[in-house]
Every structure is written in structure tokens, then in C-alpha cells.
Amino acid sequence: MNSTTKIVVWAAVAVLAGIIAVLAMSPKGASVENVDAAGLAGLAGDGVRVIDVRTAGEFEAGHVPGAENVPLDQLANALAGWDTSQPLAVYCATGARSTEAVTTLTRQGFTKIYHFNAGMVAWDGEVERGAVAVAQAFKPTETPVMYEFFTEW
């Protein structure tokens, strides 16, 4: 075998090993289903636990009725005592953070996850608000306005 053939063979073996490793780490039996606003409202009405992974300030400004606020950076610690067989619905502002939450939940063995992947910006149902300190110059409107900032380091 010449050196080029050896490199190709070793690269193929490495790719195959990577695929096997990913499959071995994937949770067995996990089911993730993307839902729209109407689907999320129906799930909440059926008693499915709804988790909002936005910050406390975003949650207080407006959230899906009955949702629990568990910010993404606190999710791994919070779910330690949760029943992994209980269905969960998860959302954030636009779907980015909730996608990370879905990954965390599947890795922790949750078997049924509903993902409102469009996020709160697409929510067209009733909105609950918490007690929020509002600056004097800002007057809230009936329609929630969400801002999500992303920076790269």
C-alpha cells in the first residue's frame, strides 16, 4: 500500500469511529417534536410541563401562561430531580437557546420533548407578565417586544 492509500484508509476508519461514538452517546428512545404556537398552547392545556429557558427579565416581560422559568444557564442543575419520562415543552425567544436546551434534555435521558422552535417572537396567544421595573421613559405596549443579542468573542 502506498502512503496515499494508507491515509485514505485511516481517514475512513476515523470517520467510522466518530459515527459509532456519536450513535453510542445518543440517548435511546428520545423523541423530539417541533410544535407551533397552537401546538404549544394545546400541550400547556393538556398539562404538559412548559419550560421557558430565557432570562428572568425576559420571562417577567411576557411568557406563555403556566410556563416555568428555568434560564438556560441553570437548566442542567435544575433538572436533576425531574422525571425523565414526563413530557416537557421548551421554548425561548427565537429558538436558539431552546435548541441547546433540547440537546441538554436529550443527553439527560428525557424521552418526550416538544420544542416550540419559533420561540416567543412567534407566540400569538395570551401572555402572562410578571412584576417588572419599567423605566419612566418606556411605556409597555400590549404586544410584547423581545430583543435577543448575540455576540461572538
Side-chain angles (χ1 to χ4, degrees):
M1 244 191 258
N2 65 30
S3 62
T4 304
T5 305
K6 286 181 183 178
I7 291 172
V8 170
V9 169
W10 280 110
V13 169
V15 167
L16 183 59
I19 291 170
I20 291 170
V22 167
L23 291 174
M25 291 187 301
S26 298
K28 307 298 181 251
S31 170
V32 178
E33 181 181 336
N34 288 331
V35 296
D36 59 11
L40 182 62
L43 291 167
D46 290 343
V48 170
R49 189 173 188 180
V50 179
I51 308 298
D52 182 328
V53 296
R54 298 175 301 151
T55 65
E58 290 173 296
F59 182 80
E60 290 175 358
H63 57 272
V64 173
E68 299 174 44
N69 184 222
V70 182
L72 182 60
D73 63 350
Q74 299 171 18
L75 182 63
N77 292 331
L79 57 81
W82 295 0
D83 179 1
T84 57
S85 65
Q86 178 186 17
L88 296 174
V90 63
Y91 74 92
C92 66
T94 61
R97 287 174 284 180
S98 57
T99 298
E100 288 185 51
V102 167
T103 301
T104 299
L105 293 166
T106 55
R107 285 185 181 156
Q108 294 299 319
F110 284 81
T111 56
K112 186 61 183 171
I113 304 163
Y114 298 97
H115 183 207
F116 180 37
N117 59 335
M120 196 64 186
V121 296
W123 179 251
D124 57 1
E126 183 181 335
V127 174
E128 285 184 350
R129 289 180 169 80
V132 178
V134 178
Q136 292 293 334
F138 178 73
K139 302 279 192 251
T141 64
E142 289 298 313
T143 305
V145 177
M146 299 296 184
Y147 295 97
E148 187 169 278
F149 297 96
F150 175 79
T151 59
E152 286 190 27
W153 296 95

